[in-house]
Amino acid sequence: MAIIYIENKPYQAPEGKNLLNACLSLGFNIPYFCWHPALGSVGACRQCAVKKYRDESDTRGQIVMSCMEQVAGGLRISIDDPEVREFRASIIEWLMANHPHDCPVCDEGGECHLQDMTVMAGHAYRRYRFKKRTYANQELGPFINHEMNRCIQCYRCVRFYRDYAGGRDLEVFSAHDHVYFGRHDHGTLESEFSGNLAEVCPTGVFTDKTLKKHYTRKWDLQSAASVCVHCGLGCNTLVAERYGSVRRILSRYNGAVNGYFLCDRGRFGYEFLSSAKRIRRAAKRNSASGAMEPADKKIILRSIKEIIAGGRVIGIGSPRASVESNFALRRLVGPDNFYSGMSAAEEELTALSIRIMKSGCASFPSLRETEKADAVFVLGEDVTNTAPMLALALRQSVKNRAAASLKKNRIPEWDNGSLCVIKDEEPGPLFVASLLPTRLDDAATRIFRGSPTQIARLGQAVAHAVNENLPAVSGLEQAVAKLAEEIARELTEASAPLVVSGAGCLSGPVMEAAANIAAALAAVNPRAGLFLALPESNSFGLGLLSGKPLDQAFQRAEKGEVRAAIILENDLYRRSEKKRVDRFREQCRHVIVLDFIDTATAAKAEIILPTAPFAEADGTLVNNEGRGQRFYRVMDPEEDCRPGWRMLAEIMEYAGIGDAGQWTTIDDIIAGLCAEEPELQGMREIAPPAEFRIYGQRVPRQPHRYSGRTAMKAHEDIHEHKPALDFDSPLTFSMEGFRSGPPPSLIPFYWSAGWNSVHALNKFQAEIGGPLRGGDPGIRMVGSSHKNFEYFKPAPVTPTPGGREYLLVPYFRIFGSEELSVLSPSIAGRIPGNLLLMNESDAKRIGAGNGSLVRVAVADAGASLAVKIDPGIPEGVAGYPAGMPGVEFMNLPAWGAITEGG
Amino acid sequence: MFSILRSMFLVFIHLFRKKVTLQYPEEKPVLPARWRGRIILTRDPDGGERCVACYLCAAACPVDCIALQAAESADGRRYPEFFRINFSRCIFCGYCEEACPTYAIQLIPDFEMSEYDRRNLVYEKEHLLVDGEGKYKGFNFYKVAGLAITGKGKGEGENEEPPVDVKSLLP
Ligand code: SF4
Ligand code: SF4
Ligand code: SF4
Ligand code: SF4
Ligand code: FES
């Protein structure tokens, strides 16, 4: 810490930080545009000027850009000096000279950084009387709207899109006062992180196109803190509602998880909430006609009671249901009858990753910490498509080598201009070993392509090269052995090496090899990290509840031991072969499905009870790093919908099971869970209990300017209703309550006086870019205080079958492979189609070309797909579009036959 | 005693003053144009809906009695899908009119809106939207805004250069 003087008063500021960041962290207001905490400084907009003085006796001072100034002891500056104020006012006046008269029709209005900074810099009247410059717009696809007239040339968009996110198709064109930010031509933005442009751009040039479909101003949105349900990383989100429907998702800053950003699946997947596939009414199958008919919930509860009384009931949970809901189901059917609902492979890999984490074999960095790694080895995971935000983090890690060399030359790390000049000359090591080409290949130092067995073998060879005592891998090709040496060398030399793996190639040996490497590195370098991605939002949490895999439920049904099955928020057809699920359905007399979307499983149920999706429910999700995070409902569930756990508690109460009658709030369930699972005590600490109050007040979900309160429902009923009550959280569905500084896990939106845009976040952080004031929300549920790791033995090599067999491996797509987001119209527009990826010579061999239909068959399943020839795919391997809409489940990786013709 | 007599005298001489009371409803009062009565939504000189559904009036309203939903038509114009004012709550403060950037919402000198049933005081867009410009003539928001709509492309607004040719490097 250094002492700096602002207006002659001493303040503490971190040495070496940039001055703008330090001043904002101290609570001063300085207008800025081109600087962004995650993007660093380039000093382009000249808006953040302050006056710097040589020493006490200096009265004239000089104007400097605070974002380009380093904090050093004794630095003297003035923010309020009249000359520098005038300077800032004239800068904003220039920036506004061509700005259109658009605020009323601009989606940024009311949460616009440009509006805020214009007011802050004191520019009120337009003096420029000449013609305004205009631009033509581009059509940029289903996510982002383009309105180029509003640009102030701060360059943040291209700096985020290209330098930060590694995108290629957004560029700055033309010259002088004509610069244009867009694509070379109309067309969909390719980056998986394009949605962040809406938050990064300080003006209304790039805005959320899905919000535009039902546009609402920030002040009218009722919001709540939530957690993304579309992958296992658990990025934090802010969900916003108006008139009973969710309007948009924003990134909720979490200094340990997603930081400032979100991927497009997480940002735009929310539209599934209003999809036609939503279930909102309880229904029962008419035994005579066989049709599903809406029925009164009471009647349904009575039938369920009878079914439960009949005995032999099992429960099937789900990795997309909250911990509370899964636990409630386990309590309802009893631990012996509780099945996790994951496929055997998923279950095994989840358990394995929990076991590895508990063993404490290495450090387990948070998602945000992976940005700081300086050598990365990815085994078997196409991170961009399975854990998108991890890809964004890894793209930052490759810049660390350049950052280190800047440091050597005494250039600060936040000097983004310098960093970008050298980042491509000295890229950090990133090794990608994968089944198929990945979206991260362009950033990789070396790429290895092989089957899961080959990847595991490479991994074991790297582990051996790091620690000679580990078994060597015999019969390795020379090139692979050399690659292993190189990877091992880079990882050992790095100060924070990172090994990344996960369930992405559905192979245990790959994950084991990754753990071995990380453990071998950690033995000599405590900063060596391991990051294991898991497929779904609550895979980890479900793994902690020790259910049994789905296959065992099927086996039990086979033996005739299952009369009824209660399936919670799970489409079994996505977890097992169609044949087997069909057979299971036949063997069960009764199938009760609790879900919020109409799945293939729900279509065959006898009884359907609608549960509430994340926006209408409270609950806890545990992400891949074991971080338990609470999500809050943004509105009360409609019609018959109830959070899964509440619905199950109602069933238990009706059927008179256990003490469930006393389960009225989520806190009761968590207390019940902690009593049964002492390991999960952390659940209590994740979020404040429902009774939590600040000065006797709740935390409002509505901003202070929320409008229309007395008119929204006046057409239905002239009497104003009391706002809905919330017994599960300290939040309230109202604009009244305590709004300055709620605990971080409760923050429903960012807003601060003079800061209406997303940058109001500055006022909620202890230090800008660092943790939130009060600590980042979420609690890691699995500790690794002591080491009890035993190196995994390399798996034996399975012989490859002869004949015309291909190794079918799954591939996942950010837009397409996830069950819920594909129901969102904007995402549906980006699904690539169900294609079988093949090598050209393989395709020729079976007489297929691009687009021709082939038949794929493995042990228990088969499918007809169109072929896409991809030169990056190894011979003898074919990529199967796992989990995409309309694609049948196959237990992969597996050997199978591919024949021409559908 | 004196003050009582004085008051009676003052009241008495008022009998000879000019009458200000009107025999309403037979006689209608003449109100100034700025009088704040019933609220209307107006149209621009071309007959297009003026309201662009910016929500500013709703935000300005101290009793929160305006609710609307923005939408966009095929020609690029923004408009309110519904627009509701609950006049049983309105205090006729005129803040909505002051906030409106397009002169769409206006208070007019009409106060005859009493109802026996409160529910009839909920006005929807069809009750609010009139066919004229109201008090403010001649203003057309889209002419001064940068947004393109059918019939007014980029650079065709007031005081605008034609769109930049991004392929040109000429000064
Ligand atoms: S489009 Fe937005 S982010 Fe990009 S330069 Fe213009 S104002 Fe800045
Ligand atoms: S990376 Fe995963 S958790 Fe994060 S926003 Fe995307 S889908 Fe959601
Ligand atoms: S006149 Fe005042 S109270 Fe009435 S709608 Fe307008 S702002 Fe609201
Ligand atoms: S302020 Fe004017 S333009 Fe905006 S919503 Fe209200 S009436 Fe419409
Ligand atoms: S923020 Fe400092 S110059 Fe732009």
Side-chain angles (χ1 to χ4, degrees):
Chain A
M1 283 288 181
I3 305 283
I4 60 169
Y5 297 86
I6 304 176
E7 324 298 354
N8 284 322
K9 278 208 207 99
Y11 294 92
Q12 296 238 333
E15 189 127 26
K17 267 266 144 73
N18 82 68
L19 182 60
L20 175 60
N21 187 334
C23 291
L24 293 169
S25 297
L26 286 168
F28 289 97
N29 289 340
I30 301 179
Y32 63 88
F33 288 113
C34 63
W35 180 76
H36 184 288
L39 305 180
S41 312
V42 286
C45 71
R46 316 316 273 173
Q47 187 59 65
C48 65
V50 296
K51 215 165 205 186
K52 176 178 164 188
Y53 299 92
R54 239 184 1 257
D55 50 38
E56 253 161 290
S57 59
D58 181 3
T59 49
R60 275 186 58 205
Q62 62 179 38
I63 288 179
V64 295
M65 295 308 125
S66 60
C67 70
M68 295 303 285
E69 202 64 30
Q70 209 163 348
V71 171
L75 181 69
R76 309 188 81 89
I77 59 155
S78 168
I79 299 169
D80 264 344
D81 175 85
E83 205 183 8
V84 75
R85 287 177 74 119
E86 199 186 312
F87 179 91
R88 291 197 300 253
S90 57
I91 293 287
I92 187 74
E93 189 168 2
W94 280 326
L95 290 179
M96 293 297 277
N98 285 305
H99 202 73
H101 186 65
D102 264 2
C103 294
V105 285
C106 174
D107 287 356
E108 196 84 353
E111 51 180 324
C112 176
H113 189 62
L114 179 62
Q115 282 180 338
D116 288 353
M117 296 301 106
T118 308
V119 173
M120 189 181 288
H123 169 56
Y125 288 95
R126 179 187 183 79
R127 292 187 293 170
Y128 182 82
R129 288 279 166 261
F130 304 96
K131 291 193 163 187
K132 288 182 185 180
R133 174 191 62 210
T134 62
Y135 293 101
N137 296 332
Q138 287 179 334
E139 169 56 48
L140 298 178
F143 297 150
I144 291 292
N145 192 58
H146 192 221
E147 187 59 46
M148 194 39 214
N149 279 353
R150 300 171 186 154
C151 179
I152 54 159
Q153 285 79 34
C154 71
Y155 281 70
R156 268 198 205 174
C157 49
V158 282
R159 287 174 56 218
F160 168 78
Y161 198 91
R162 301 181 70 85
D163 303 340
Y164 194 88
R168 308 213 161 200
D169 58 328
L170 186 82
E171 219 355 336
V172 47
F173 298 96
S174 201
H176 51 89
D177 68 337
H178 280 174
V179 287
Y180 186 88
F181 297 85
R183 281 170 49 90
H184 68 285
D185 198 3
H186 296 271
T188 302
L189 287 171
E190 283 162 13
S191 169
E192 295 80 6
F193 306 100
S194 64
N196 294 303
L197 289 175
E199 287 190 59
V200 164
C201 173
T203 73
V205 176
F206 296 109
T207 50
D208 180 339
K209 208 181 241 178
T210 66
L211 170 65
K212 194 166 180 247
K213 287 189 232 161
H214 40 213
Y215 183 66
T216 310
R217 295 254 180 242
K218 181 181 179 181
W219 63 68
D220 281 342
L221 290 168
Q222 171 166 280
S223 308
S226 194
V227 176
C228 178
V229 295
H230 303 293
C231 87
L233 294 176
C235 296
N236 291 198
T237 55
L238 289 172
V239 181
E241 173 268 0
R242 177 82 177 174
Y243 301 133
S245 75
V246 170
R247 300 295 165 110
R248 71 142 169 228
I249 300 272
L250 281 184
S251 153
R252 172 163 67 103
Y253 181 85
N254 186 324
V257 186
N258 53 317
Y260 287 86
F261 305 116
L262 281 184
C263 77
D264 288 355
R265 187 203 266 179
R267 189 180 297 269
F268 303 110
Y270 78 92
E271 286 183 305
F272 86 85
L273 293 166
S274 353
S275 101
K277 283 231 166 172
R278 271 290 299 280
I279 307 177
R280 293 173 201 271
R281 293 288 315 274
K284 196 169 184 281
R285 198 170 294 281
N286 184 321
S287 45
S289 72
M292 256 349 218
E293 285 168 2
D296 189 71
K297 220 166 96 188
K298 277 269 151 56
I299 298 175
I300 286 196
L301 285 175
R302 198 174 311 139
S303 342
I304 295 180
K305 184 182 174 177
E306 280 160 21
I307 293 173
I308 291 176
R312 284 184 287 151
V313 184
I314 64 162
I316 297 179
S318 162
R320 67 167 158 90
S322 66
V323 177
E324 288 83 356
S325 298
N326 277 305
F327 171 68
L329 180 62
R330 195 178 86 175
R331 173 65 78 84
L332 170 61
V333 295
D336 293 339
N337 303 321
F338 176 66
Y339 296 86
S340 72
M342 293 194 268
S343 69
E346 268 176 281
E347 174 85 32
E348 182 201 319
L349 287 163
T350 307
L352 179 62
S353 103
I354 296 176
R355 217 163 53 238
I356 293 172
M357 222 174 262
K358 281 187 182 162
S359 76
C361 67
S363 82
F364 292 91
S366 68
L367 175 56
R368 195 94 187 285
E369 279 160 358
T370 60
E371 290 177 7
K372 294 276 165 276
D374 55 355
V376 182
F377 181 24
V378 184
L379 287 95
E381 194 79 20
D382 178 4
V383 284
T384 316
N385 287 308
T386 58
M389 282 296 284
L390 178 59
L392 193 60
L394 296 185
R395 282 191 187 275
Q396 310 320 309
S397 78
V398 297
K399 295 181 201 155
N400 288 334
R401 182 161 288 186
S405 86
L406 282 188
K407 211 166 170 192
K408 242 181 267 153
N409 292 304
R410 318 248 307 277
I411 298 171
E413 33 144 30
W414 44 258
D415 186 342
N416 192 257
S418 315
L419 184 66
C420 287
V421 170
I422 63 163
K423 77 172 182 0
D424 296 330
E425 284 164 25
E426 293 180 59
L430 167 65
F431 300 96
V432 177
S434 65
L435 305 174
L436 302 173
T438 77
R439 286 281 281 162
L440 212 51
D441 289 354
D442 63 295
T445 324
R446 298 245 184 286
I447 299 163
F448 174 80
R449 207 122 289 155
S451 67
T453 317
Q454 286 166 323
I455 295 173
R457 277 164 63 80
L458 170 67
Q460 295 293 1
V462 173
H464 169 74
V466 173
N467 179 348
E468 283 177 358
N469 299 331
L470 294 176
V473 182
S474 56
L476 218 53
E477 279 168 52
Q478 186 127 47
V480 182
K482 233 178 96 204
L483 177 63
E485 289 290 334
E486 183 187 346
I487 298 174
R489 192 177 56 248
E490 290 285 7
L491 290 175
T492 334
E493 280 169 12
S495 66
L498 175 71
V499 183
V500 173
S501 186
C505 62
L506 297 170
S507 151
V510 169
M511 206 189 259
E512 291 171 355
N516 276 2
I517 306 171
L521 290 166
V524 286
N525 179 358
R527 286 188 68 198
L530 176 61
F531 194 91
L532 300 173
L534 287 177
E536 281 177 69
S537 58
N538 199 27
S539 294
F540 200 111
L542 183 57
L544 291 173
L545 287 179
S546 50
K548 294 176 284 279
L550 193 56
D551 293 12
Q552 289 186 23
F554 290 175
Q555 284 158 19
R556 238 175 106 176
E558 206 63 56
K559 285 189 235 147
E561 289 171 14
V562 179
R563 218 178 119 261
I566 305 179
I567 303 171
L568 170 69
E569 298 178 0
N570 200 340
D571 181 5
L572 304 187
Y573 287 97
R574 291 177 64 85
R575 317 262 176 204
S576 194
E577 290 85 357
K578 183 170 183 304
K579 264 192 233 159
R580 303 185 61 199
V581 183
D582 283 344
R583 191 162 162 71
F584 174 70
R585 175 65 192 93
E586 281 157 24
Q587 285 158 344
C588 298
R589 272 262 297 280
H590 309 283
V591 168
I592 303 165
V593 169
L594 283 79
D595 209 337
F596 47 81
I597 50 166
D598 195 7
T599 61
T601 306
K604 295 206 168 166
E606 177 186 335
I607 290 175
I608 293 179
L609 279 173
T611 55
F614 72 93
E616 298 163 29
D618 302 54
T620 307
L621 298 174
V622 185
N623 77 352
N624 68 310
E625 49 184 72
R627 187 183 305 272
Q629 307 190 98
R630 178 72 70 82
F631 58 93
Y632 295 97
R633 81 185 90 140
V634 63
M635 57 185 171
D636 251 1
E638 289 178 335
E639 301 185 50
D640 292 340
C641 302
R642 293 291 172 272
W645 48 266
R646 176 153 286 155
M647 195 67 102
L648 289 159
E650 275 177 40
I651 296 175
M652 278 186 267
E653 191 181 354
Y654 208 85
I657 296 173
D659 55 358
Q662 290 142 28
W663 280 6
T664 50
T665 70
I666 193 164
D667 291 336
D668 300 337
I669 300 209
I670 292 174
L673 173 64
C674 292
E676 268 184 42
E677 293 276 344
E679 232 191 344
L680 301 183
Q681 288 302 328
M683 289 281 292
R684 284 180 210 270
E685 317 292 308
I686 292 174
E691 308 81 54
F692 176 85
R693 297 287 180 279
I694 311 172
Y695 297 117
Q697 288 178 301
R698 287 171 174 260
V699 177
R701 284 181 175 88
Q702 298 169 358
H704 53 300
R705 293 247 184 87
Y706 195 78
S707 81
R709 197 171 34 89
T710 63
M712 296 167 78
K713 299 223 171 89
H715 60 307
E716 288 164 3
D717 186 0
I718 193 74
H719 302 285
E720 279 132 38
H721 291 245
K722 229 169 86 177
L725 294 175
D726 186 348
F727 297 104
D728 296 308
S729 80
L731 296 167
T732 150
F733 295 103
S734 139
M735 44 201 292
E736 285 163 29
F738 187 86
R739 50 178 78 255
S740 31
S745 59
L746 284 176
I747 299 172
F749 48 82
Y750 299 114
W751 210 319
S752 177
W755 295 79
N756 301 292
S757 73
V758 286
H759 291 267
L761 167 63
N762 290 348
K763 305 285 178 186
F764 290 78
Q765 291 164 319
E767 183 199 315
I768 291 168
L772 288 169
R773 207 164 276 156
D776 286 319
I779 293 224
R780 289 186 85 159
M781 316 270 287
V782 185
S784 48
S785 47
H786 56 288
K787 275 196 183 169
N788 57 350
F789 179 74
E790 259 181 50
Y791 285 99
F792 293 101
K793 304 230 163 36
V797 184
T798 44
T800 49
R804 286 275 164 267
E805 295 261 291
Y806 292 83
L807 180 65
L808 282 159
V809 294
Y811 74 86
F812 303 94
R813 287 291 174 256
I814 177 171
F815 308 121
S817 306
E818 194 266 334
E819 188 181 4
L820 302 175
S821 58
V822 296
L823 301 175
S824 159
S826 60
I827 297 224
R830 296 286 306 272
I831 301 178
N834 301 330
L835 301 166
L836 188 77
L837 306 182
M838 287 186 92
N839 182 297
E840 185 157 16
S841 58
D842 285 341
K844 266 212 194 104
R845 188 137 44 106
I846 56 166
N850 255 331
S852 54
L853 217 55
V854 292
R855 178 87 202 150
V856 185
V858 293
D860 256 342
S864 295
L865 293 170
V867 167
K868 182 174 177 229
I869 291 172
D870 190 327
I873 287 171
E875 224 168 297
V877 177
Y880 186 76
M884 306 268 250
V887 171
E888 235 176 79
F889 177 90
M890 277 186 192
N891 197 5
L892 300 180
W895 294 92
I898 303 176
T899 44
E900 215 239 312
Chain B
M1 185 69 195
F2 172 72
S3 80
I4 292 174
L5 288 174
R6 181 175 167 273
S7 306
M8 286 174 72
F9 174 71
L10 286 175
V11 170
F12 179 75
I13 61 168
H14 267 282
L15 283 177
F16 307 101
R17 289 267 173 89
K18 189 175 162 253
K19 288 194 189 83
V20 287
T21 314
L22 293 181
Q23 289 309 313
Y24 181 82
E26 288 76 30
E27 256 179 84
K28 302 281 183 194
V30 181
L31 295 172
R34 285 168 56 182
W35 206 86
R36 300 197 304 261
R38 184 163 71 88
I39 298 174
I40 53 167
L41 288 175
T42 60
R43 292 179 184 275
D44 63 29
D46 303 342
E49 237 177 274
R50 256 181 183 162
C51 175
V52 295
C54 71
Y55 294 96
L56 286 176
C57 50
C61 178
V63 293
D64 289 343
C65 71
I66 304 180
L68 65 146
Q69 172 59 55
E72 196 176 280
S73 61
D75 61 1
R77 292 176 74 112
R78 298 244 173 160
Y79 70 97
E81 203 168 48
F82 73 84
F83 196 111
R84 183 178 309 124
I85 300 182
N86 178 355
F87 279 109
S88 76
R89 287 291 184 183
C90 176
I91 54 171
F92 300 96
C93 62
Y95 283 10
C96 47
E97 176 172 338
E98 231 174 89
C100 181
T102 66
Y103 292 141
I105 196 165
Q106 299 178 14
L107 279 76
I108 55 165
D110 169 16
F111 54 85
E112 293 175 319
M113 29 187 335
S114 320
E115 298 282 353
Y116 285 109
D117 187 342
R118 258 173 83 193
R119 278 174 294 189
N120 295 338
L121 285 169
V122 177
Y123 281 40
E124 297 289 341
K125 188 165 134 184
E126 67 252 39
H127 310 124
L128 297 165
L129 186 62
V130 299
D131 274 344
E133 294 172 64
K135 295 182 269 185
Y136 308 106
K137 311 282 182 210
F139 182 71
N140 189 337
F141 174 77
Y142 287 103
K143 288 255 155 70
V144 295
L147 212 66
I149 55 168
T150 308
K152 191 217 97 174
K154 290 283 174 199
E156 290 170 5
E158 275 170 26
N159 228 357
E160 280 184 349
E161 301 270 12
V164 162
D165 172 11
V166 285
K167 303 240 166 82
S168 156
L169 289 177
L170 294 177

